[in-house]
Each structure stands twice: as C-alpha cells, then as structure tokens.
Amino acid sequence: AQSVTQPDIHITVSEGASLELRCNYSYGATPYLFWYVQSPGQGLQLLLKYFSGDTLVQGIKGFEAEFKRSQSSFNLRKPSVHWSDAAEYFCAVVLFSGGYNKLIFGAGTRLAVHP
Amino acid sequence: KAGVTQTPRYLIKTRGQQVTLSCSPISGHRSVSWYQQTPGQGLQFLFEYFSETQRNKGNFPGRFSGRQFSNSRSEMNVSTLELGDSALYLCASSLNKVSDTQYFGPGTRLTVL
C-alpha cells in the first residue's frame, strides 16, 4: 500500500548546524511530494513541493529537498538552522487510487533547536 | 489575498452531541479538504469537496459528514460525538484538485468531554 514514512520522530540540532529530515514514500508512479511545517497551535504551511522536473527543489525559509527515485526518498535540508525553525515537519504525498485522490501525510518529525 | 479561515477556533462538547465546523477557502479556490489531526493517528484525510459535491473521501465513519456551498465555503459535521473525536480539525483549500497545492487554515480544536 502507498505510504509515507518519516523515520525520525524527534530531532534536536544546535542553532547554526545543518539539518536533514528524512522522508521515504512507497508509490509506484512518480509521486506528487510536499513538505509542510506546523508551528504549535497552528495550521500547516507549505515549504516546498515536487511534481516533476529538476529533482532539487528550493522552498521558503531557506529549505530545499531532493527527490531521489532510486531511494524513494524526498529528504528536506537546510544548511544553517535558526531557532525559529523549531516546529513539526510533515512530508506528504498525493495518493491516486481507485478514482479517489487524497493527500497522505507522514507521522511528522518534531525539530528542537538548541541555542 | 486572505488565507483559509476556520471557525470556531475552539470548541468543547460532550459525548453524544453534534458539532458543525466551518471553513472559508481562499478566494478563487474551489476544492476544500478536511483533515483530522490527533497525537495517536497523526494527520488523516476526511474528505474533499469540489463544486458542492464530495469528490474524495477517507476512511471515517458516517458520523463525519460535510457539505460545500456555491461560494465554496464548506462545513463539516460530526454527529454523536465520541471521546476519540477530540482532535484538531484542519481545512485546506486548493484551486481545483487535491494534487494542487493545498493551503491550510489554523484549525478548530475540538474537545469532547
């Protein structure tokens, strides 16, 4: 079955350090992939998306992600983390199945940033 | 352009009651999707409405229903509330399709006592 896996539930990094959040998907065709961020008590904000084309995607707030078909991955990266990046990050994929389309989310990765 | 708005932001209900949540999409967006977010189950897709018709649905019981009006505003209804329905309910709008970028509202926090 199609799914999205975020292997890391919690990650802690120091401010200024680099960041990589992992996302693996299980899907036969080329997926529509998204990364969202959620601050406490807030809705989700889109960071970036991949539909096709260049496999390295630039997003807002200095984030980027790379689509690797061979590894079924869409990892999110940032070269230097700021304290304001502390939040929960969700990877998502659009599932096309039996006439139904829906956005499937991973379990999320909670990011803590140490000063 | 105004973002997605949801009302109310907070609700407290008791078991057995019913509740209606409202969502106003971004102007020009015709697709509205609803999600339930809980600590145990994460973010789960409830259903999607387009042109006043339910076009996609997730795996939730019939107690969860919705509708969409001609101006694309949407409501979600939960009948016979259970304790497990306590969650953050998020609404998202997109131009036409689920695969279009979805823009989320701040959510409605529902607590069932």
Side-chain angles (χ1 to χ4, degrees):
Chain A
Q2 291 85 350
S3 64
V4 179
T5 302
Q6 293 180 248
D8 305 306
I9 298 175
H10 291 99
I11 283 184
T12 301
V13 299
S14 298
E15 192 168 17
S18 63
L19 172 70
E20 183 169 30
L21 302 182
R22 295 183 291 164
C23 172
N24 294 99
Y25 65 90
S26 169
Y27 191 64
T30 298
Y32 287 51
L33 292 159
F34 303 82
W35 274 100
Y36 283 88
V37 61
Q38 185 179 34
S39 298
Q42 301 297 314
L44 278 72
Q45 182 182 23
L46 178 71
L47 288 173
L48 46 79
K49 60 187 178 184
Y50 173 79
F51 289 172
S52 64
D54 193 349
T55 57
L56 185 62
V57 181
Q58 302 297 320
I60 63 171
K61 303 185 179 187
F63 285 93
E64 66 177 26
E66 186 170 12
F67 171 64
K68 293 185 177 180
R69 183 188 303 277
S70 61
Q71 298 176 21
S72 298
S73 69
F74 187 56
N75 294 348
L76 182 71
R77 300 193 295 248
K78 186 169 185 178
S80 178
V81 171
H82 188 263
W83 63 266
S84 61
D85 293 324
E88 190 154 22
Y89 292 79
F90 293 93
C91 181
V93 64
V94 175
L95 169 64
F96 300 93
S97 174
Y100 283 124
N101 305 327
K102 53 186 178 182
L103 191 60
I104 305 297
F105 285 89
T109 297
R110 186 170 297 278
L111 173 67
V113 180
H114 279 178
Chain B
K1 193 181 278 191
V4 177
T5 58
Q6 293 186 244
T7 57
R9 292 293 309 278
Y10 301 92
L11 265 179
I12 299 176
K13 293 286 187 179
T14 56
R15 279 182 299 173
Q17 287 186 310
Q18 74 166 16
V19 66
T20 299
L21 313 181
S22 181
C23 172
S24 293
I26 291 172
S27 177
H29 285 193
R30 300 170 64 193
S31 168
V32 174
S33 298
W34 288 89
Y35 297 85
Q36 181 195 66
Q37 185 177 25
T38 60
Q41 299 298 316
L43 276 155
Q44 294 185 286
F45 173 78
L46 279 156
F47 32 63
E48 182 230 1
Y49 284 85
F50 179 83
S51 290
E52 303 178 62
T53 302
Q54 186 182 92
R55 185 166 63 175
N56 293 290
K57 65 188 298 288
N59 300 320
F60 279 81
R63 299 186 297 106
F64 292 82
S65 63
R67 59 177 175 168
Q68 186 180 35
F69 302 94
S70 58
N71 61 358
S72 294
R73 189 178 70 86
S74 177
E75 288 181 347
M76 191 193 96
N77 184 274
V78 188
S79 62
T80 319
L81 284 166
E82 301 177 359
L83 295 179
D85 297 332
S86 294
L88 181 67
Y89 290 89
L90 293 163
C91 164
S93 75
S94 61
L95 272 174
N96 290 302
K97 306 186 297 292
V98 170
S99 54
D100 292 330
T101 298
Q102 295 194 28
Y103 295 86
F104 283 79
T108 294
R109 172 74 62 184
L110 172 65
T111 301
V112 181
L113 302 177

Short mmCIF file of all heavy atoms in Angstrom, two decimals, chain A residues 11-70:
data_model
loop_
_atom_site.label_atom_id
_atom_site.label_comp_id
_atom_site.label_asym_id
_atom_site.label_seq_id
_atom_site.Cartn_x
_atom_site.Cartn_y
_atom_site.Cartn_z
N ILE A 11 14.07 15.26 16.44
CA ILE A 11 15.45 15.60 16.10
C ILE A 11 15.81 16.87 16.84
O ILE A 11 14.99 17.80 16.90
CB ILE A 11 15.65 15.77 14.59
CG1 ILE A 11 15.71 14.41 13.89
CG2 ILE A 11 16.91 16.56 14.28
CD1 ILE A 11 16.01 14.49 12.41
N THR A 12 17.01 16.89 17.41
CA THR A 12 17.50 18.09 18.08
C THR A 12 18.80 18.52 17.42
O THR A 12 19.70 17.69 17.25
CB THR A 12 17.74 17.86 19.58
OG1 THR A 12 16.50 17.44 20.19
CG2 THR A 12 18.23 19.13 20.25
N VAL A 13 18.87 19.78 17.05
CA VAL A 13 20.10 20.31 16.46
C VAL A 13 20.44 21.62 17.14
O VAL A 13 19.59 22.26 17.77
CB VAL A 13 19.96 20.54 14.94
CG1 VAL A 13 19.65 19.23 14.23
CG2 VAL A 13 18.91 21.58 14.65
N SER A 14 21.69 22.01 17.02
CA SER A 14 22.12 23.30 17.55
C SER A 14 21.89 24.38 16.51
O SER A 14 21.96 24.12 15.29
CB SER A 14 23.61 23.25 17.92
OG SER A 14 23.84 22.29 18.93
N GLU A 15 21.60 25.56 16.99
CA GLU A 15 21.40 26.68 16.06
C GLU A 15 22.66 26.87 15.23
O GLU A 15 23.78 26.83 15.75
CB GLU A 15 21.08 27.96 16.84
CG GLU A 15 20.58 29.09 15.95
CD GLU A 15 20.00 30.25 16.74
OE1 GLU A 15 20.28 30.32 17.97
OE2 GLU A 15 19.29 31.07 16.16
N GLY A 16 22.46 27.04 13.94
CA GLY A 16 23.58 27.20 13.03
C GLY A 16 24.06 25.91 12.39
O GLY A 16 24.78 25.94 11.39
N ALA A 17 23.64 24.79 12.94
CA ALA A 17 24.02 23.49 12.37
C ALA A 17 23.14 23.19 11.16
O ALA A 17 22.09 23.79 10.95
CB ALA A 17 23.86 22.40 13.42
N SER A 18 23.61 22.23 10.36
CA SER A 18 22.83 21.82 9.20
C SER A 18 21.76 20.82 9.64
O SER A 18 21.83 20.21 10.69
CB SER A 18 23.73 21.20 8.14
OG SER A 18 24.33 20.03 8.66
N LEU A 19 20.76 20.68 8.77
CA LEU A 19 19.62 19.84 9.09
C LEU A 19 19.24 18.98 7.90
O LEU A 19 19.26 19.46 6.76
CB LEU A 19 18.42 20.71 9.47
CG LEU A 19 17.07 20.01 9.66
CD1 LEU A 19 17.10 19.17 10.93
CD2 LEU A 19 15.93 21.02 9.70
N GLU A 20 18.90 17.73 8.17
CA GLU A 20 18.29 16.88 7.14
C GLU A 20 17.19 16.07 7.78
O GLU A 20 17.43 15.32 8.73
CB GLU A 20 19.31 15.96 6.47
CG GLU A 20 18.68 15.13 5.36
CD GLU A 20 19.70 14.39 4.49
OE1 GLU A 20 20.78 14.04 5.01
OE2 GLU A 20 19.42 14.18 3.29
N LEU A 21 16.00 16.21 7.27
CA LEU A 21 14.85 15.43 7.73
C LEU A 21 14.51 14.41 6.64
O LEU A 21 14.35 14.77 5.48
CB LEU A 21 13.65 16.34 8.00
CG LEU A 21 13.86 17.44 9.02
CD1 LEU A 21 12.57 18.23 9.23
CD2 LEU A 21 14.37 16.90 10.34
N ARG A 22 14.36 13.17 7.07
CA ARG A 22 14.17 12.10 6.10
C ARG A 22 12.70 11.82 5.80
O ARG A 22 11.84 11.92 6.69
CB ARG A 22 14.84 10.83 6.61
CG ARG A 22 16.35 10.94 6.73
CD ARG A 22 16.95 9.62 7.17
NE ARG A 22 16.61 9.29 8.54
CZ ARG A 22 16.75 8.07 9.06
NH1 ARG A 22 17.20 7.07 8.31
NH2 ARG A 22 16.45 7.84 10.32
N CYS A 23 12.45 11.47 4.56
CA CYS A 23 11.11 11.08 4.12
C CYS A 23 11.26 10.01 3.06
O CYS A 23 11.96 10.19 2.07
CB CYS A 23 10.35 12.28 3.54
SG CYS A 23 8.77 11.85 2.78
N ASN A 24 10.58 8.89 3.26
CA ASN A 24 10.53 7.82 2.27
C ASN A 24 9.09 7.55 1.90
O ASN A 24 8.21 7.60 2.75
CB ASN A 24 11.18 6.55 2.83
CG ASN A 24 12.66 6.72 3.06
OD1 ASN A 24 13.09 6.96 4.19
ND2 ASN A 24 13.43 6.63 2.00
N TYR A 25 8.85 7.28 0.64
CA TYR A 25 7.49 7.03 0.19
C TYR A 25 7.45 5.68 -0.50
O TYR A 25 8.46 5.16 -1.00
CB TYR A 25 7.03 8.14 -0.76
CG TYR A 25 7.84 8.18 -2.04
CD1 TYR A 25 7.44 7.45 -3.15
CD2 TYR A 25 9.00 8.93 -2.12
CE1 TYR A 25 8.19 7.46 -4.30
CE2 TYR A 25 9.76 8.95 -3.27
CZ TYR A 25 9.35 8.21 -4.36
OH TYR A 25 10.10 8.21 -5.50
N SER A 26 6.27 5.14 -0.52
CA SER A 26 6.02 3.90 -1.23
C SER A 26 4.92 4.17 -2.24
O SER A 26 3.76 4.37 -1.85
CB SER A 26 5.58 2.80 -0.25
OG SER A 26 5.10 1.67 -0.95
N TYR A 27 5.31 4.25 -3.52
CA TYR A 27 4.34 4.63 -4.54
C TYR A 27 4.88 4.21 -5.88
O TYR A 27 6.05 4.41 -6.16
CB TYR A 27 4.10 6.14 -4.49
CG TYR A 27 2.94 6.63 -5.30
CD1 TYR A 27 1.64 6.25 -4.99
CD2 TYR A 27 3.13 7.48 -6.38
CE1 TYR A 27 0.57 6.70 -5.74
CE2 TYR A 27 2.07 7.92 -7.14
CZ TYR A 27 0.78 7.53 -6.80
OH TYR A 27 -0.27 7.97 -7.53
N GLY A 28 4.05 3.64 -6.73
CA GLY A 28 4.52 3.09 -7.98
C GLY A 28 4.91 4.12 -9.01
O GLY A 28 5.94 4.02 -9.66
N ALA A 29 4.10 5.13 -9.18
CA ALA A 29 4.34 6.13 -10.22
C ALA A 29 5.13 7.30 -9.64
O ALA A 29 5.51 7.29 -8.47
CB ALA A 29 3.00 6.62 -10.76
N THR A 30 5.43 8.27 -10.48
CA THR A 30 6.10 9.47 -9.98
C THR A 30 5.15 10.20 -9.04
O THR A 30 4.05 10.57 -9.44
CB THR A 30 6.49 10.38 -11.14
OG1 THR A 30 7.41 9.70 -11.98
CG2 THR A 30 7.15 11.65 -10.60
N PRO A 31 5.56 10.38 -7.83
CA PRO A 31 4.66 10.96 -6.84
C PRO A 31 4.63 12.49 -6.87
O PRO A 31 5.55 13.12 -7.36
CB PRO A 31 5.25 10.47 -5.52
CG PRO A 31 6.72 10.40 -5.79
CD PRO A 31 6.86 10.00 -7.23
N TYR A 32 3.55 13.03 -6.35
CA TYR A 32 3.47 14.45 -6.04
C TYR A 32 3.87 14.55 -4.57
O TYR A 32 3.18 14.03 -3.70
CB TYR A 32 2.06 14.98 -6.22
CG TYR A 32 1.60 15.12 -7.66
CD1 TYR A 32 1.71 14.08 -8.57
CD2 TYR A 32 1.02 16.31 -8.09
CE1 TYR A 32 1.27 14.23 -9.87
CE2 TYR A 32 0.57 16.46 -9.39
CZ TYR A 32 0.70 15.42 -10.28
OH TYR A 32 0.26 15.56 -11.57
N LEU A 33 4.96 15.23 -4.27
CA LEU A 33 5.52 15.26 -2.92
C LEU A 33 5.53 16.66 -2.34
O LEU A 33 5.77 17.63 -3.06
CB LEU A 33 6.96 14.71 -2.94
CG LEU A 33 7.08 13.22 -3.26
CD1 LEU A 33 8.47 12.90 -3.76
CD2 LEU A 33 6.72 12.39 -2.05
N PHE A 34 5.30 16.75 -1.05
CA PHE A 34 5.24 18.03 -0.37
C PHE A 34 5.96 17.93 0.98
O PHE A 34 6.03 16.87 1.59
CB PHE A 34 3.78 18.43 -0.08
CG PHE A 34 2.89 18.51 -1.28
CD1 PHE A 34 2.32 17.36 -1.82
CD2 PHE A 34 2.61 19.72 -1.87
CE1 PHE A 34 1.48 17.42 -2.93
CE2 PHE A 34 1.76 19.80 -2.97
CZ PHE A 34 1.21 18.65 -3.50
N TRP A 35 6.47 19.07 1.42
CA TRP A 35 6.89 19.24 2.80
C TRP A 35 6.11 20.42 3.40
O TRP A 35 6.06 21.50 2.81
CB TRP A 35 8.38 19.53 2.92
CG TRP A 35 9.25 18.31 2.96
CD1 TRP A 35 9.96 17.75 1.94
CD2 TRP A 35 9.52 17.50 4.12
NE1 TRP A 35 10.65 16.65 2.39
CE2 TRP A 35 10.41 16.47 3.71
CE3 TRP A 35 9.11 17.54 5.45
CZ2 TRP A 35 10.87 15.50 4.59
CZ3 TRP A 35 9.57 16.58 6.32
CH2 TRP A 35 10.45 15.57 5.89
N TYR A 36 5.52 20.16 4.57
CA TYR A 36 4.80 21.20 5.31
C TYR A 36 5.45 21.35 6.68
O TYR A 36 6.02 20.41 7.22
CB TYR A 36 3.33 20.81 5.51
CG TYR A 36 2.45 20.97 4.30
CD1 TYR A 36 2.30 19.95 3.37
CD2 TYR A 36 1.74 22.15 4.10
CE1 TYR A 36 1.46 20.11 2.28
CE2 TYR A 36 0.90 22.31 3.00
CZ TYR A 36 0.77 21.29 2.10
OH TYR A 36 -0.07 21.45 1.01
N VAL A 37 5.28 22.55 7.27
CA VAL A 37 5.74 22.81 8.62
C VAL A 37 4.56 23.29 9.45
O VAL A 37 3.69 24.01 8.95
CB VAL A 37 6.89 23.84 8.64
CG1 VAL A 37 6.45 25.18 8.08
CG2 VAL A 37 7.44 24.01 10.05
N GLN A 38 4.53 22.84 10.70
CA GLN A 38 3.46 23.24 11.61
C GLN A 38 4.05 23.75 12.91
O GLN A 38 4.71 23.01 13.63
CB GLN A 38 2.52 22.07 11.88
CG GLN A 38 1.30 22.42 12.71
CD GLN A 38 0.38 21.24 12.94
OE1 GLN A 38 0.82 20.10 13.05
NE2 GLN A 38 -0.93 21.50 12.98
N SER A 39 3.80 25.00 13.21
CA SER A 39 4.20 25.55 14.50
C SER A 39 3.11 25.25 15.52
O SER A 39 1.95 25.03 15.14
CB SER A 39 4.42 27.06 14.37
OG SER A 39 5.48 27.32 13.46
N PRO A 40 3.45 25.25 16.80
CA PRO A 40 2.48 24.88 17.83
C PRO A 40 1.17 25.66 17.73
O PRO A 40 1.17 26.89 17.64
CB PRO A 40 3.22 25.19 19.13
CG PRO A 40 4.65 25.04 18.79
CD PRO A 40 4.77 25.54 17.37
N GLY A 41 0.06 24.92 17.71
CA GLY A 41 -1.25 25.55 17.67
C GLY A 41 -1.63 26.16 16.35
O GLY A 41 -2.63 26.88 16.26
N GLN A 42 -0.85 25.88 15.33
CA GLN A 42 -1.09 26.50 14.02
C GLN A 42 -1.45 25.46 12.96
O GLN A 42 -1.31 24.25 13.17
CB GLN A 42 0.16 27.26 13.56
CG GLN A 42 0.61 28.34 14.53
CD GLN A 42 -0.43 29.43 14.66
OE1 GLN A 42 -0.98 29.93 13.68
NE2 GLN A 42 -0.72 29.81 15.89
N GLY A 43 -1.91 25.96 11.84
CA GLY A 43 -2.14 25.08 10.70
C GLY A 43 -0.82 24.75 10.03
O GLY A 43 0.26 25.05 10.55
N LEU A 44 -0.90 24.14 8.86
CA LEU A 44 0.30 23.73 8.14
C LEU A 44 0.67 24.76 7.08
O LEU A 44 -0.20 25.28 6.38
CB LEU A 44 0.06 22.38 7.46
CG LEU A 44 0.22 21.14 8.32
CD1 LEU A 44 -0.94 21.02 9.30
CD2 LEU A 44 0.30 19.90 7.46
N GLN A 45 1.96 25.00 6.96
CA GLN A 45 2.46 25.92 5.95
C GLN A 45 3.32 25.13 4.96
O GLN A 45 4.19 24.36 5.36
CB GLN A 45 3.29 27.04 6.59
CG GLN A 45 3.82 28.06 5.58
CD GLN A 45 4.67 29.13 6.23
OE1 GLN A 45 5.23 28.94 7.31
NE2 GLN A 45 4.78 30.27 5.57
N LEU A 46 3.08 25.35 3.68
CA LEU A 46 3.84 24.65 2.66
C LEU A 46 5.26 25.19 2.58
O LEU A 46 5.46 26.40 2.46
CB LEU A 46 3.16 24.81 1.30
CG LEU A 46 3.89 24.17 0.12
CD1 LEU A 46 3.79 22.65 0.21
CD2 LEU A 46 3.32 24.65 -1.21
N LEU A 47 6.24 24.29 2.66
CA LEU A 47 7.64 24.68 2.49
C LEU A 47 8.08 24.54 1.03
O LEU A 47 8.74 25.43 0.49
CB LEU A 47 8.55 23.81 3.36
CG LEU A 47 8.50 24.04 4.87
CD1 LEU A 47 9.34 22.99 5.57
CD2 LEU A 47 8.98 25.44 5.21
N LEU A 48 7.72 23.42 0.42
CA LEU A 48 8.10 23.17 -0.97
C LEU A 48 7.33 21.97 -1.50
O LEU A 48 6.71 21.24 -0.73
CB LEU A 48 9.61 22.96 -1.12
CG LEU A 48 10.31 22.02 -0.12
CD1 LEU A 48 10.09 20.57 -0.46
CD2 LEU A 48 11.80 22.33 -0.05
N LYS A 49 7.43 21.80 -2.82
CA LYS A 49 6.72 20.69 -3.45
C LYS A 49 7.51 20.19 -4.65
O LYS A 49 8.31 20.93 -5.24
CB LYS A 49 5.34 21.13 -3.89
CG LYS A 49 5.36 22.27 -4.90
CD LYS A 49 3.96 22.79 -5.19
CE LYS A 49 4.02 23.95 -6.16
NZ LYS A 49 2.69 24.55 -6.39
N TYR A 50 7.27 18.94 -5.03
CA TYR A 50 7.87 18.35 -6.21
C TYR A 50 6.81 17.62 -7.00
O TYR A 50 6.11 16.76 -6.46
CB TYR A 50 9.00 17.38 -5.83
CG TYR A 50 9.52 16.63 -7.03
CD1 TYR A 50 10.41 17.24 -7.91
CD2 TYR A 50 9.09 15.34 -7.31
CE1 TYR A 50 10.87 16.57 -9.03
CE2 TYR A 50 9.54 14.67 -8.42
CZ TYR A 50 10.42 15.28 -9.28
OH TYR A 50 10.87 14.62 -10.39
N PHE A 51 6.71 17.97 -8.28
CA PHE A 51 5.80 17.25 -9.17
C PHE A 51 6.59 16.55 -10.27
O PHE A 51 6.32 15.40 -10.61
CB PHE A 51 4.80 18.22 -9.81
CG PHE A 51 3.77 18.77 -8.86
CD1 PHE A 51 2.90 19.77 -9.25
CD2 PHE A 51 3.66 18.30 -7.56
CE1 PHE A 51 1.95 20.28 -8.38
CE2 PHE A 51 2.71 18.80 -6.68
CZ PHE A 51 1.85 19.80 -7.10
N SER A 52 7.55 17.25 -10.84
CA SER A 52 8.35 16.70 -11.92
C SER A 52 9.50 17.66 -12.18
O SER A 52 9.59 18.71 -11.56
CB SER A 52 7.52 16.53 -13.20
OG SER A 52 7.07 17.79 -13.67
N GLY A 53 10.40 17.29 -13.09
CA GLY A 53 11.47 18.18 -13.48
C GLY A 53 12.68 18.08 -12.57
O GLY A 53 13.03 16.99 -12.09
N ASP A 54 13.30 19.21 -12.31
CA ASP A 54 14.51 19.25 -11.51
C ASP A 54 14.28 18.58 -10.16
O ASP A 54 13.34 18.94 -9.43
CB ASP A 54 14.94 20.70 -11.31
CG ASP A 54 16.36 20.83 -10.75
OD1 ASP A 54 16.92 19.80 -10.33
OD2 ASP A 54 16.89 21.95 -10.77
N THR A 55 15.14 17.64 -9.83
CA THR A 55 14.93 16.86 -8.60
C THR A 55 15.34 17.60 -7.34
O THR A 55 15.04 17.14 -6.25
CB THR A 55 15.68 15.53 -8.69
OG1 THR A 55 17.06 15.80 -8.91
CG2 THR A 55 15.13 14.67 -9.81
N LEU A 56 16.03 18.70 -7.47
CA LEU A 56 16.38 19.53 -6.32
C LEU A 56 15.43 20.72 -6.31
O LEU A 56 15.42 21.54 -7.22
CB LEU A 56 17.83 20.00 -6.40
CG LEU A 56 18.35 20.78 -5.20
CD1 LEU A 56 18.30 19.92 -3.92
CD2 LEU A 56 19.77 21.28 -5.45
N VAL A 57 14.65 20.81 -5.25
CA VAL A 57 13.59 21.80 -5.17
C VAL A 57 13.91 22.81 -4.08
O VAL A 57 14.28 22.42 -2.96
CB VAL A 57 12.24 21.12 -4.86
CG1 VAL A 57 11.14 22.15 -4.79
CG2 VAL A 57 11.92 20.06 -5.89
N GLN A 58 13.79 24.07 -4.40
CA GLN A 58 14.00 25.12 -3.42
C GLN A 58 12.67 25.57 -2.84
O GLN A 58 11.66 25.64 -3.55
CB GLN A 58 14.70 26.32 -4.07
CG GLN A 58 16.04 25.99 -4.71
CD GLN A 58 17.07 25.50 -3.69
OE1 GLN A 58 17.14 26.03 -2.58
NE2 GLN A 58 17.84 24.49 -4.06
N GLY A 59 12.68 25.84 -1.55
CA GLY A 59 11.44 26.27 -0.91
C GLY A 59 11.63 27.57 -0.15
O GLY A 59 12.61 28.28 -0.33
N ILE A 60 10.68 27.83 0.72
CA ILE A 60 10.75 29.05 1.52
C ILE A 60 11.62 28.83 2.75
O ILE A 60 11.96 27.69 3.09
CB ILE A 60 9.34 29.50 1.95
CG1 ILE A 60 8.69 28.46 2.85
CG2 ILE A 60 8.48 29.78 0.73
CD1 ILE A 60 7.40 28.93 3.49
N LYS A 61 12.00 29.92 3.38
CA LYS A 61 12.76 29.89 4.63
C LYS A 61 14.11 29.19 4.48
O LYS A 61 14.64 28.68 5.48
CB LYS A 61 11.96 29.23 5.75
CG LYS A 61 10.61 29.87 6.03
CD LYS A 61 9.93 29.23 7.24
CE LYS A 61 8.59 29.89 7.51
NZ LYS A 61 7.98 29.41 8.76
N GLY A 62 14.66 29.13 3.28
CA GLY A 62 15.97 28.54 3.08
C GLY A 62 16.01 27.03 3.01
O GLY A 62 17.08 26.42 3.02
N PHE A 63 14.84 26.39 2.94
CA PHE A 63 14.78 24.93 2.84
C PHE A 63 14.89 24.46 1.39
O PHE A 63 14.48 25.17 0.47
CB PHE A 63 13.46 24.41 3.44
CG PHE A 63 13.42 24.45 4.93
CD1 PHE A 63 12.88 25.54 5.59
CD2 PHE A 63 13.92 23.39 5.67
CE1 PHE A 63 12.85 25.58 6.97
CE2 PHE A 63 13.88 23.42 7.06
CZ PHE A 63 13.35 24.52 7.71
N GLU A 64 15.41 23.26 1.24
CA GLU A 64 15.43 22.59 -0.05
C GLU A 64 15.18 21.11 0.17
O GLU A 64 15.32 20.59 1.29
CB GLU A 64 16.76 22.79 -0.78
CG GLU A 64 17.95 22.13 -0.11
CD GLU A 64 19.23 22.29 -0.91
OE1 GLU A 64 19.37 23.26 -1.67
OE2 GLU A 64 20.11 21.41 -0.76
N ALA A 65 14.80 20.43 -0.89
CA ALA A 65 14.58 18.98 -0.80
C ALA A 65 15.02 18.36 -2.11
O ALA A 65 14.93 18.97 -3.18
CB ALA A 65 13.12 18.65 -0.51
N GLU A 66 15.46 17.12 -2.03
CA GLU A 66 15.92 16.41 -3.21
C GLU A 66 15.11 15.13 -3.40
O GLU A 66 15.02 14.30 -2.48
CB GLU A 66 17.40 16.08 -3.12
CG GLU A 66 17.95 15.46 -4.41
CD GLU A 66 19.45 15.34 -4.42
OE1 GLU A 66 20.08 15.52 -3.35
OE2 GLU A 66 20.02 15.08 -5.50
N PHE A 67 14.54 14.97 -4.56
CA PHE A 67 13.80 13.77 -4.92
C PHE A 67 14.78 12.76 -5.48
O PHE A 67 15.48 13.03 -6.46
CB PHE A 67 12.72 14.11 -5.95
CG PHE A 67 12.04 12.91 -6.55
CD1 PHE A 67 11.28 12.07 -5.75
CD2 PHE A 67 12.14 12.63 -7.91
CE1 PHE A 67 10.65 10.96 -6.29
CE2 PHE A 67 11.50 11.53 -8.46
CZ PHE A 67 10.76 10.70 -7.65
N LYS A 68 14.81 11.58 -4.87
CA LYS A 68 15.67 10.50 -5.36
C LYS A 68 14.80 9.28 -5.62
O LYS A 68 14.43 8.56 -4.68
CB LYS A 68 16.77 10.17 -4.34
CG LYS A 68 17.79 11.29 -4.16
CD LYS A 68 18.92 10.86 -3.23
CE LYS A 68 19.97 11.96 -3.10
NZ LYS A 68 21.09 11.56 -2.22
N ARG A 69 14.52 9.06 -6.88
CA ARG A 69 13.63 7.96 -7.24
C ARG A 69 14.23 6.61 -6.83
O ARG A 69 13.52 5.74 -6.35
CB ARG A 69 13.36 7.97 -8.74
CG ARG A 69 12.37 6.90 -9.20
CD ARG A 69 12.29 6.83 -10.72
NE ARG A 69 11.92 8.11 -11.29
CZ ARG A 69 10.67 8.52 -11.39
NH1 ARG A 69 9.68 7.76 -10.95
NH2 ARG A 69 10.41 9.70 -11.92
N SER A 70 15.53 6.45 -7.00
CA SER A 70 16.18 5.16 -6.72
C SER A 70 16.07 4.80 -5.24
O SER A 70 16.09 3.62 -4.88
CB SER A 70 17.64 5.20 -7.14
OG SER A 70 18.34 6.21 -6.42
#
